[in-house]
Amino acid sequence: METYDRLPIEPGLQRKHSVSIRRWFRSGDPWIWLSATAVGVSIVAVVGLITLIAWKGLAHFWPADVHTIEYHDEWDEYVLVGEIAQRESISRDLYQEFNPSDTELPPGSVRRWMMKTGNRKVNAPDFRWIDVHLIESKIQDPNMVVFERSEWGNAYGTIVELRESGQTIAVDDLWSELKRRVQRASSLRNTSEKLQKRSIDQINYQLERLRLQQRKRELRGNFETADLNTKQSELIQEYELHEQSLREIDEKLQRDQVVIRIANGSESIIELRDIEHLWRPNSMSFLSKFGHYVSTIWNFLTQDSREANTEGGIFPALFGTILMVILMSVLVTPFGVIAAVYLREYARQGTLVRLIRIAVNNLAGVPSIVYGVFGLGFFVYLIGGTIDDLFFEAAKPAPTFGTPGLIWASLTLALLTVPVVIVSTEEGLTRIPSALREGSLALGATKAETLFKVVMPMASPAMLTGVILAIARAAGEVAPLMLVGVVKLAPSLPIDGNFPFLHLDRKFMHLGFHIYDVGFQSPNVDAVRPLVFATALLLILIIIVLNLTAILLRNRLEARYREALQ
């Protein structure tokens, strides 16, 4: 075997190469490349995560084809009708471990489908796993209809007949007639909801205010209630008229029914009042599917939730999140800015101020649940209870402000995020050159005029940076909100047409808590999994929009004062 001697390296060349490497490291270029690589990996990870969440969430709203599948296993033969909700492959060995009697295994891995079969009311469960190699046939019936119901989830079946007041309707085109009658039922249902939420709820609100006025008079020893009784009688008469209108609408809604044939061959009756939407996906074109897709996303954003938050939309949670973030920003900005201005511009720098700064920095690291416990004890029970004792004695023992609500949730999050605003504002004030302060004072301006007309406008970009960070953190917090105002289902929005219009004492819904509740407390995990991704995507988009808005404002302010800072 031939061998080759390694060529010797000249000592001078080796030393030169070693010196160049050390010089390269000392120049800092490797750390620049390392930092750039880390930033690039982080960006790719964030974009990939958002893409995954968007794909998992938005795909749920596309009208998937409905398949009729003949399927058999070792026990029986079945006919399943539904959508393919999920596909997966498992190893042959793992499959045989749980299905040792199955001798029809294909080579390689075993494919499985999760079918959303619906019809949970008469043929539960509504999600089933089937093995692809046991499928005998699969067809797509163009007449198959998907019914989205207000209760019991989706129903799948073909139309057998329409009934009006129990009598079969003889029409040639059942599908067109069914759509027309569903639109009529939807219009009546909307009328009923508006009557309930606007007129009847307003009357109930006024009746409660009259009761509180009467109770307040009784506490003061005044038992003259003739005028209140007159108003109460008028409101009760108006309430009875609206109740009669609701009963008439309800009788009209009970008129129509549709009979469908489901997968097992039996017939099921659906009240048209229970149908939210219906469509035939197997006979829809791409454009009609896309229109349905956009409409479904819009309904998801604008409708209330149903079925313990597993169906319907998320508008109350979306509204509550945005309103709470706005109130938190309004509360945290002045407190944080005032504290930073005092510490930097007015307080005598010494041991006490240094300790305060250390305490502020440490507050940013306190677990958020601790703020929730503090908010519950201090804001809700102490301040809220005191407000009830002073101003809402007539409502007791039922609390008004002495119970978790929107204002206490906003104050708790303001307290949680105020250290971020203080630190950012102080850094901005530190960057202002002392020559600008001295020049303003030399021209005859007072210290307050210098502060408000020179220093704070130039430090406003740093203030907005603190607000941006506060918004980003507050919008995603869940733990403290569970103690100070957020609920699974709020009966009404914090804003309505009743004076004072913005009800700070009301409980509200939040997207972060909605994600937690739907993802971990739902009785039907398979049905709500796409909704968790869709809601998470919406929360991310809200945070991005709020941050981009604040960043744009900050950049415009920085561009305005950049020359003065140089």
Side-chain angles (χ1 to χ4, degrees):
M1 178 182 230
E2 296 183 2
T3 59
Y4 299 90
D5 293 332
R6 181 177 297 176
L7 294 176
I9 301 176
E10 297 180 7
L13 182 62
Q14 187 174 5
R15 285 195 301 270
K16 185 177 180 180
H17 181 67
S18 177
V19 170
S20 63
I21 291 177
R22 287 197 299 269
R23 185 177 300 168
W24 184 58
F25 271 96
R26 289 175 182 173
S27 68
D29 289 344
W31 315 120
I32 295 175
W33 283 102
L34 183 61
S35 300
T37 303
V39 171
V41 171
S42 301
I43 293 175
V44 171
V46 170
V47 172
L49 178 62
I50 295 177
T51 303
L52 175 63
I53 293 174
W55 174 260
K56 293 285 188 179
L58 296 179
H60 167 71
F61 303 107
W62 186 262
D65 294 331
V66 178
H67 304 277
T68 303
I69 295 176
E70 294 184 4
Y71 171 82
H72 76 277
D73 55 19
E74 56 182 318
W75 296 286
D76 204 350
E77 294 185 355
Y78 309 94
V79 177
L80 301 178
V81 175
E83 307 171 11
I84 301 176
Q86 185 177 341
R87 295 177 171 87
E88 72 174 21
S89 297
I90 60 176
S91 66
R92 183 186 180 95
D93 295 337
L94 181 62
Y95 181 85
Q96 282 186 322
E97 182 179 346
F98 292 96
N99 301 274
S101 60
D102 193 346
T103 59
E104 304 179 18
L105 290 179
S109 59
V110 179
R111 292 186 300 153
R112 300 198 310 166
W113 291 345
M114 177 187 280
M115 296 289 298
K116 182 179 180 181
T117 56
N119 301 323
R120 184 168 70 240
K121 187 174 183 179
V122 296
N123 192 21
D126 54 345
F127 284 87
R128 306 167 192 238
W129 283 101
I130 63 173
D131 303 320
V132 176
H133 66 279
L134 298 180
I135 294 176
E136 296 181 353
S137 66
K138 184 182 74 166
I139 62 173
Q140 295 182 14
D141 186 353
N143 295 319
M144 189 63 63
V145 183
V146 180
F147 299 88
E148 181 185 345
R149 298 178 292 185
S150 56
E151 295 180 350
W152 300 101
N154 287 358
Y156 302 89
T158 55
I159 305 172
V160 176
E161 63 180 22
L162 288 174
R163 294 178 181 175
E164 180 180 324
S165 301
Q167 302 296 322
T168 302
I169 303 173
V171 292
D172 296 331
D173 191 350
L174 287 175
W175 172 245
S176 299
E177 181 66 18
L178 175 61
K179 289 196 299 181
R180 188 184 68 80
R181 290 177 178 261
V182 167
Q183 290 177 355
R184 169 187 173 274
S186 177
S187 177
L188 289 173
R189 190 171 58 246
N190 291 336
T191 303
S192 176
E193 291 176 356
K194 290 179 181 179
L195 191 62
Q196 176 69 41
K197 292 182 177 181
R198 296 180 182 178
S199 301
I200 293 182
D201 286 357
Q202 187 175 9
I203 292 174
N204 287 331
Y205 182 79
Q206 293 176 359
L207 287 172
E208 178 64 14
R209 289 177 65 88
L210 289 176
R211 187 190 70 80
L212 294 177
Q213 291 180 17
Q214 181 177 354
R215 175 61 179 163
K216 188 180 296 185
R217 290 184 183 182
E218 291 175 356
L219 292 174
R220 295 174 180 175
N222 183 5
F223 296 94
E224 286 292 333
T225 59
D227 56 335
L228 299 180
N229 292 335
T230 302
K231 294 180 181 179
Q232 186 178 22
S233 300
E234 294 175 354
L235 290 174
I236 291 176
Q237 292 178 1
E238 187 178 356
Y239 180 90
E240 291 175 351
L241 292 176
H242 291 312
E243 279 287 326
Q244 179 63 30
S245 300
L246 283 179
R247 286 192 292 268
E248 293 175 356
I249 293 174
D250 189 65
E251 291 176 358
K252 295 178 180 178
L253 284 171
Q254 294 178 0
R255 189 192 70 177
D256 297 332
Q257 299 171 325
V258 59
V259 182
I260 64 171
R261 181 169 289 109
I262 60 177
N264 58 11
S266 62
E267 295 182 353
S268 177
I269 301 175
I270 301 177
E271 300 280 347
L272 263 60
R273 64 180 301 171
D274 297 330
I275 299 175
E276 297 285 338
H277 307 284
L278 75 165
W279 63 95
R280 293 194 298 188
N282 295 340
S283 60
M284 295 171 67
S285 63
F286 176 80
L287 290 178
S288 58
K289 284 189 175 183
F290 182 77
H292 181 275
Y293 177 73
V294 174
S295 174
T296 305
I297 293 178
W298 177 254
N299 292 334
F300 176 71
L301 297 176
T302 58
Q303 289 184 352
D304 295 344
S305 57
R306 308 188 304 269
E307 294 267 41
N309 293 337
T310 62
E311 301 284 348
I314 57 168
F315 177 74
L318 174 62
F319 185 85
T321 301
I322 296 176
L323 182 59
M324 185 210 65
V325 169
I326 292 174
L327 287 176
M328 183 277 304
S329 302
V330 171
L331 292 170
V332 73
T333 303
F335 283 108
V337 170
I338 291 172
V341 168
Y342 176 77
L343 291 175
R344 184 64 193 173
E345 302 292 333
Y346 289 95
R348 179 174 296 177
Q349 304 302 312
T351 303
L352 180 60
V353 172
R354 285 197 297 270
L355 290 176
I356 292 175
R357 286 199 176 97
I358 293 173
V360 168
N361 291 330
N362 288 335
L363 281 175
V366 175
S368 59
I369 189 65
V370 176
Y371 285 97
V373 174
F374 175 81
L376 181 64
F378 181 73
F379 291 132
V380 178
Y381 293 151
L382 181 59
I383 298 180
T386 304
I387 292 175
D388 285 352
D389 292 337
L390 294 176
F391 303 103
F392 298 96
E393 186 180 5
K396 297 179 69 176
T400 303
F401 280 93
T403 185
L406 175 63
I407 182 61
W408 308 133
S410 302
L411 280 172
T412 301
L413 288 186
L415 186 66
L416 185 148
T417 56
V418 72
V420 179
V421 179
I422 293 175
V423 173
S424 299
T425 304
E426 267 206 275
E427 291 179 355
L429 294 173
T430 305
R431 292 171 52 196
I432 307 301
S434 58
L436 291 176
R437 294 180 174 87
E438 295 170 357
S440 176
L441 294 173
L443 291 174
T446 63
K447 188 172 183 178
E449 290 174 339
T450 301
L451 176 66
F452 288 105
K453 296 184 178 180
V454 178
V455 177
M456 289 188 65
M458 299 181 68
S460 57
M463 300 177 191
L464 279 175
T465 300
V467 174
I468 291 169
L469 297 175
I471 289 174
R473 184 175 182 186
E477 284 292 345
V478 177
L481 298 179
M482 297 169 63
L483 300 175
V484 290
V486 167
V487 292
K488 176 186 178 72
L489 185 64
S492 57
L493 295 176
I495 293 180
D496 59 19
N498 299 316
F499 183 83
F501 310 117
L502 175 60
H503 304 274
L504 298 176
D505 58 309
R506 288 185 181 176
K507 296 176 175 59
F508 66 103
M509 297 177 67
H510 186 271
L511 287 175
F513 182 76
H514 186 82
I515 294 171
Y516 162 77
D517 176 67
V518 172
F520 297 97
Q521 306 295 322
S522 173
N524 195 348
V525 178
D526 294 321
V528 301
R529 187 181 292 112
L531 297 180
V532 172
F533 286 105
T535 308
L537 176 64
L538 180 61
L539 181 58
I540 292 173
L541 292 177
I542 289 175
I543 295 174
I544 290 175
V545 169
L546 291 174
N547 285 348
L548 287 178
T549 303
I551 288 171
L552 290 175
L553 292 174
R554 183 189 64 186
N555 291 341
R556 297 182 71 175
L557 291 173
E558 284 182 344
R560 179 183 300 177
Y561 299 112
R562 185 177 294 117
E563 295 181 359
L565 290 174
Q566 291 177 350

